């Protein structure tokens, strides 16, 4: 164990036996609650012929069918607005967000949810008294707002910047002596490069010691090497919140105590042993929004080795890919169905293909399309297409190009991922 280890609470160093008992207890209670109060969960159990009394421990989880992100999209039409997984009326919720998909999500009201945010940021290195630049979005997608509420409570001073405004971000980091950045690693790199262009030397002129970011493509090394800022990562989704986080050792992400993580095989949904790659399946032990066996579409493996930090939780390895045709860029999924709904609005666009590449270690999104018929105002159409892409996918297109007719094959994929290491 590292000599200077501190923990968010004693659950993090509980024996494995104690952890299993905690998970089994909470699971029984959450399943019984969800069966009565979450109609979609009850319907799922009825189809599988499973009763709450059949779920005695985490070993019984495979009696509950998995819900995928696509299932959730469909269920939100059957059980609006939350798909039948929220157990209280909307008036009792503290906040409702619209996440990419688009789907409606809520952090719910549970202490367990909020504790996951605090626990993961503490594990990543945030401490009370830190001055935190929060560059996650404060509207629509929930991340910025949720962090804000919880990390203020935790004792950090939060600066609500959201995305964009790179020059202002530089000024704020300098003037307010920001110690911790949170947001995407690619945005931090943009800010640091902007700072250099403005004449700052980030190593000397800034107090920034730590960046806490969602999993990214190897930018961690670039930022640490070039700017001396330590980077720690977490894994989570807009639907379920934060699931796992890096500790100071960064040897796999510790799974938060109020989450049960399974890695299951792609066909049979059987739980896989440590080290084998399969679908990430998450069960959150929250009462308001009990996600029980939810698959966000990520592929990874888990690790049961001891961590030198002293935490005893299971660890999640980096995301190694995604299920189906979706790709992930700058931390967000892009599904072919989203792309098709964008492009279908424009009569002038025929065949199209989104190319996800990497430029200077950053994800680069280029949409190529063929014209259909004559369009007098191509620029206007492309601008509308950019806006629609940003609204639906929550990402900016880097490039949109009209290619000659016949360039794109009718059988070609709608989304192509050209990155060497397309992982999470
Ligand atoms: Zn650790």
């Amino acid at each position: 164990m590292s000599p200077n280890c501190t923990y968010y609470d004693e659950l993090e160093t509980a024996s494995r036996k104690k952890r299993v008992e905690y998970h089994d207890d909470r699971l029984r209670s959450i399943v019984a609650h969800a069966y009565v109060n979450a109609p979609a969960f009850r319907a799922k159990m009825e189809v599988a012929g499973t009763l709450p009394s059949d779920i005695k421990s985490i070993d019984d989880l495979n009696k509950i069918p998995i819900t995928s992100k696509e299932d959730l999209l469909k269920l939100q039409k059957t059980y609006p607005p939350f798909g039948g997984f929220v157990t209280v009326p909307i008036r009792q919720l503290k906040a409702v967000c619209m996440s990419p998909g688009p789907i409606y999500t809520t952090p719910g009201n549970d202490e367990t949810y909020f504790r996951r945010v605090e626990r993961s940021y503490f594990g990543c290195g945030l401490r009370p008294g830190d001055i935190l630049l929060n560059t996650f979005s404060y509207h629509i997608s929930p991340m910025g707002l949720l962090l804000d509420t919880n990390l203020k409570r935790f004792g950090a001073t939060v600066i609500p910047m959201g995305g964009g405004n790179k020059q202002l971000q530089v000024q704020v980091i300098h003037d307010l002596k920001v110690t911790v950045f949170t947001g995407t690693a690619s945005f931090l790199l943009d800010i640091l490069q902007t700072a250099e262009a403005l004449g700052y030397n980030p190593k000397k002129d800034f107090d920034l010691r730590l960046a806490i970011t969602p999993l990214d493509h190897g930018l961690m090394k670039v930022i640490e090497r070039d700017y001396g800022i330590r980077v720690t990562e977490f894994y989570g989704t807009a639907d379920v919140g934060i699931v796992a986080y890096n500790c100071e050792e960064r040897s796999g992400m510790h799974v938060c105590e109020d989450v049960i993580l399974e890695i299951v095989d792609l066909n049979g949904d059987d739980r896989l042993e440590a080290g084998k790659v399969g679908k990430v399946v998450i069960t959150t032990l929250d009462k308001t929004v009990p996600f029980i066996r939810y698959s966000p579409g990520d592929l990874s493996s888990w690790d049961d080795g001891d961590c030198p930090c002293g935490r005893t939780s299971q660890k999640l390895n980096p995301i190694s890919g995604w299920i189906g045709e979706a790709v992930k860029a700058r931390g967000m999924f892009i599904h072919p169905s989203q792309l098709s709904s964008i492009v279908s609005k424009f009569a002038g666009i025929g065949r199209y293909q989104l190319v996800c590449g990497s430029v200077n270690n950053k994800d680069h999104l280029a949409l190529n399309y063929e014209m259909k018929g004559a369009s007098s105002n191509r620029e206007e159409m492309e601008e509308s297409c950019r806006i629609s892409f940003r609204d639906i996918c929550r990402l900016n297109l880097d490039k949109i190009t009209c290619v000659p007719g016949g360039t794109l094959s009718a059988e070609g994929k709608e989304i192509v991922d050209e990155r060497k290491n397309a992982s999470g």
Side-chain angles (χ1 to χ4, degrees), residues 4-290:
N4 299 320
C5 267
T6 48
Y7 308 104
Y8 179 76
D9 63 22
E10 73 281 0
L11 270 175
E12 290 178 1
T13 51
S15 68
R16 292 192 181 193
K17 183 169 172 284
K18 208 166 178 185
R19 183 184 305 281
V20 169
E21 283 169 7
Y22 175 74
H23 281 167
D24 287 348
D25 273 357
R26 296 274 306 156
L27 180 66
R28 282 193 295 269
S29 149
I30 294 292
V31 165
H33 179 77
Y35 191 80
V36 175
N37 297 291
F41 178 69
R42 187 186 184 114
K44 187 163 99 154
M45 293 280 274
E46 284 173 351
V47 167
T50 305
L51 290 167
S53 56
D54 296 328
I55 310 300
K56 295 184 175 61
S57 76
I58 51 177
D59 290 336
D60 298 317
L61 270 172
N62 61 358
K63 295 174 186 165
I64 304 172
I66 289 171
T67 303
S68 67
K69 176 103 179 178
E70 284 70 26
D71 294 335
L72 196 57
L73 281 164
K74 287 180 203 147
L75 283 165
Q76 291 211 337
K77 292 192 172 72
T78 312
Y79 302 97
F82 297 113
F85 288 106
V86 172
T87 61
V88 298
I90 190 166
R91 282 186 184 80
Q92 288 179 24
L93 295 168
K94 291 186 198 303
V96 176
C97 307
M98 192 183 231
S99 293
I103 62 168
Y104 290 108
T105 61
T106 172
N109 303 336
D110 291 76
E111 184 59 21
T112 43
Y113 184 104
F114 302 122
R115 213 157 52 197
R116 290 210 301 277
V117 175
E118 294 181 355
R119 182 188 300 288
S120 52
Y121 269 67
F122 181 85
C124 283
L126 185 77
R127 292 293 176 269
D130 267 320
I131 299 169
L132 177 78
L133 190 81
N134 184 3
T135 67
F136 284 110
S137 169
Y138 268 66
H139 64 287
I140 309 183
S141 277
M143 197 64 192
L145 190 66
L146 296 178
L147 290 179
D148 189 288
T149 312
N150 284 278
L151 299 176
K152 274 178 195 159
R153 188 179 85 155
F154 173 81
T157 299
V158 180
I159 304 168
M161 287 300 285
N165 303 302
K166 283 180 280 187
Q167 295 199 7
L168 290 181
Q169 308 264 9
V170 170
Q171 189 184 335
V172 167
I173 290 172
H174 177 261
D175 293 352
L176 302 184
K177 301 191 186 317
V178 166
T179 54
V180 181
F181 165 94
T182 193
T184 63
S186 55
F187 188 48
L188 174 58
L189 195 57
D190 270 349
I191 292 174
L192 292 167
Q193 287 166 349
T194 303
E196 287 177 314
L198 291 169
Y200 289 100
N201 177 344
K203 272 188 182 171
K204 283 189 187 156
D205 299 333
F206 294 169
D207 290 50
L208 207 48
R209 65 176 167 83
L210 176 68
I212 302 177
T213 73
L215 286 172
D216 218 314
H217 299 287
L219 287 185
M220 177 190 264
K221 289 191 187 100
V222 176
I223 292 168
E224 293 196 341
R225 183 195 63 208
D226 294 350
Y227 299 99
I229 298 165
R230 184 175 170 77
V231 182
T232 50
E233 297 177 308
F234 63 83
Y235 168 72
T237 78
D239 325 303
V240 302
I242 296 181
V243 169
Y245 59 91
N246 274 154
C247 69
E248 66 204 53
E249 303 290 337
R250 296 192 302 202
S251 63
M253 288 174 291
H254 288 285
V255 177
C256 291
E257 322 310 305
D258 291 302
V259 171
I260 298 169
L261 174 87
E262 298 171 273
I263 302 293
V264 304
D265 78 75
L266 294 180
N267 304 315
D269 292 346
D270 287 327
R271 200 181 304 174
L272 296 176
E273 60 195 61
K276 298 217 163 139
V277 173
K279 265 194 293 201
V280 173
V281 174
I282 297 161
T283 295
T284 58
L285 298 172
D286 304 334
K287 248 181 160 178
T288 325
V289 197

